[in-house]
Amino acid sequence: MAKLKIIVSATSMFSKRIQWALKLKGLEYELSIEDWEKGKSELLLKSNPVHKLVPVLLDDGVVVAESKVILEYIDEKWKGGDFYPLLPQDPYERAQARFWAQFADDKCVSGTIEACLAEDAPEKEKAVETAIESFTYLEKQIEGKKFFAGDKIGYLDLVAGWISHWLSVVEETGGIKIFDAERFPSLHKWAQNFIEIPQIKECLPPRDVLVNHYIRRLSYVRSLKPKKP
Amino acid sequence: MAKLKIIVSATSMFSKRIQWALKLKGLEYELSIEDWEKGKSELLLKSNPVHKLVPVLLDDGVVVAESKVILEYIDEKWKGGDFYPLLPQDPYERAQARFWAQFADDKCVSGTIEACLAEDAPEKEKAVETAIESFTYLEKQIEGKKFFAGDKIGYLDLVAGWISHWLSVVEETGGIKIFDAERFPSLHKWAQNFIEIPQIKECLPPRDVLVNHYIRRLSYVRSLKPKKP
């Protein structure tokens, strides 16, 4: 079998989900790392012409894009036997995992970014409040459990995994505070447990690399926003 | 087995996907129809407290929300034997169906709504152009095929199904034109084929009901938008 390849960026929280999933499955892969300074690679533009975004999985002649779609693909292609399952078996539990994964991306990731990008104080305050409301839903989902999937991590843990390592960086560089340990005790506990899992820990980007990336990224995105009169 | 119930609205394109799926599976269900004039029902607010949106599927004590999540649930719970398959079997084909379903919702549905809501002419023209670009991707996906899933309809056909009946209403009420037959010959052919399938045709909302709904809906949403100085 040809080796799997994933097109990633060194700092992308969405890319990391795929790396984690392949590690959990025990599959070997090689990384094709995008360098944003040089612009998007030919390989990325050819492989994901629709969105032109990482991550992309190249598997034996086929190309799969969009991180949650790739996770499902990996779980469906390498299943049974000794392969680590990402999604539960039961249709209802699978639906719950998908519902909350979509929620985590649509509300928690987007809400956090919106709060970072807000420039005037009342707008920022409101965006932070909205993000906190969204995280409160996730807090309720994890209460009384070690991981979203139960005793072991699964699909939803991987999707929410950025909270354990990226969120504090995004907060710091964006000048906001959402993920307070007192407000979110169960999510905090979960994040600590999640990040201690060897397959997760061994491929985290160094914090200073993330900080530098988000400082430049936020400044770039802000420069694109139309200025208020 | 307790009868399935779906909470829907009479005009919702997202609700209809679930009704279509249950008809294709040969499952009996009852409808709980929301009446927007009266506000959201207690049942809806209790069943989908996170988004408070239709459709919601109530199945034997469990509740599933979000239309694409419900479609996967239905396909996973009632599978094999005589049950009509919604998603293909092959992991790569499944990934493709999911990728394009997400694209159709994120880009085509949202793009069309954005074009309707745009008020000044240059903004509207740009939004229409962007929507046309998105539909062009779908056109390429359906070229040379009867349905997205092949000879028979499947998951992606249901997700894109609104194009066959809702889109012209949205265009008419929103004062835009996106879905030109010359520009999108294959999608037009697909839409005609799709709408002739008995399980699809037999539960379409009457066009005048949709027109009235969208006139009121657009007027309401526009009234919420901050006025330009």
Side-chain angles (χ1 to χ4, degrees), chain A residues 27-128:
Chain A
L27 296 165
E28 285 190 28
Y29 58 88
E30 58 184 67
L31 296 174
S32 176
I33 303 174
E34 292 292 305
D35 179 352
W36 298 133
E37 302 290 318
K38 294 185 185 161
K40 301 188 177 190
S41 72
E42 277 304 306
L43 181 66
L44 174 60
L45 297 174
K46 195 184 78 182
S47 305
N48 187 5
V50 180
H51 299 302
K52 305 175 182 70
L53 294 172
V54 294
V56 180
L57 176 72
L58 309 177
D59 171 28
D60 208 11
V62 305
V63 178
V64 187
E66 292 285 275
S67 70
K68 293 195 295 302
V69 174
I70 301 172
L71 289 179
E72 295 243 19
Y73 173 79
I74 291 170
D75 205 35
E76 290 179 346
K77 177 144 180 194
W78 293 281
K79 67 180 174 189
D82 287 338
F83 286 121
Y84 189 98
L86 300 180
L87 277 156
Q89 284 300 300
D90 174 68
Y92 173 64
E93 287 175 27
R94 292 166 74 86
Q96 286 294 96
R98 289 183 182 121
F99 176 90
W100 288 109
Q102 193 65 48
F103 177 88
D105 276 357
D106 288 351
K107 303 293 180 180
C108 299
V109 174
S110 303
T112 302
I113 292 170
E114 216 162 287
C116 284
L117 292 176
E119 287 186 70
D120 61 49
E123 192 194 339
K124 207 170 189 81
E125 200 176 315
K126 192 163 172 244
V128 167

Side-chain angles (χ1 to χ4, degrees), chain B:
Chain B
M1 192 184 76
K3 212 174 187 179
L4 293 165
K5 181 182 271 190
I6 34 178
I7 312 175
V8 299
S9 89
T11 52
S12 153
M13 56 175 82
F14 301 103
S15 296
K16 202 52 70 179
R17 297 171 178 178
I18 311 309
Q19 233 180 310
W20 288 334
L22 294 177
K23 279 184 181 285
L24 289 170
K25 290 280 182 189
L27 296 165
E28 286 191 26
Y29 59 87
E30 58 183 68
L31 296 175
S32 176
I33 303 175
E34 293 292 304
D35 179 352
W36 298 133
E37 303 289 320
K38 293 186 186 160
K40 300 188 177 189
S41 72
E42 278 304 307
L43 182 66
L44 175 59
L45 296 175
K46 195 184 74 180
S47 306
N48 188 5
V50 180
H51 300 302
K52 305 175 181 70
L53 294 173
V54 294
V56 180
L57 176 72
L58 309 177
D59 170 29
D60 207 11
V62 304
V63 178
V64 187
E66 292 286 276
S67 70
K68 293 196 294 302
V69 174
I70 301 173
L71 289 179
E72 295 243 19
Y73 173 80
I74 290 171
D75 205 35
E76 290 178 346
K77 177 143 181 195
W78 293 281
K79 68 180 174 189
D82 287 339
F83 286 121
Y84 189 99
L86 299 180
L87 277 157
Q89 284 299 301
D90 175 68
Y92 173 64
E93 287 175 26
R94 292 167 73 85
Q96 286 294 96
R98 290 185 182 120
F99 176 90
W100 288 108
Q102 192 66 48
F103 178 88
D105 276 358
D106 288 350
K107 304 292 181 181
C108 300
V109 174
S110 304
T112 302
I113 292 169
E114 215 162 288
C116 284
L117 291 176
E119 288 186 69
D120 61 48
E123 191 194 341
K124 207 171 188 81
E125 200 176 316
K126 193 163 172 243
V128 168
E129 262 173 46
T130 305
I132 286 174
E133 268 175 46
S134 299
F135 278 88
T136 304
Y137 279 110
L138 276 195
E139 170 77 10
K140 281 189 195 139
Q141 288 305 305
I142 193 69
E143 266 172 22
K145 290 195 291 186
K146 187 167 184 188
F147 297 113
F148 287 105
D151 291 338
K152 288 177 159 193
I153 59 169
Y155 171 80
L156 178 53
D157 297 279
L158 298 187
V159 170
W162 68 282
I163 295 171
S164 67
H165 188 62
W166 277 254
L167 179 50
S168 74
V169 176
V170 180
E171 287 179 320
E172 182 185 321
T173 52
I176 55 169
K177 187 68 197 172
I178 294 168
F179 195 46
D180 186 84
E182 284 184 24
R183 196 191 297 266
F184 300 111
S186 304
L187 261 183
H188 261 268
K189 193 83 198 292
W190 163 82
Q192 284 161 4
N193 289 328
F194 179 79
I195 218 163
E196 286 307 320
I197 291 167
Q199 293 95 330
I200 303 300
K201 198 173 194 170
E202 73 192 18
C203 62
L204 290 175
R207 199 173 190 282
D208 59 328
V209 171
L210 283 185
V211 170
N212 282 330
H213 168 75
Y214 278 100
I215 288 173
R216 282 179 300 163
R217 189 79 202 149
L218 283 173
S219 148
Y220 172 71
V221 176
R222 279 183 185 139
S223 75
L224 299 179
K225 280 179 90 176
K227 289 281 165 256
K228 288 194 177 167

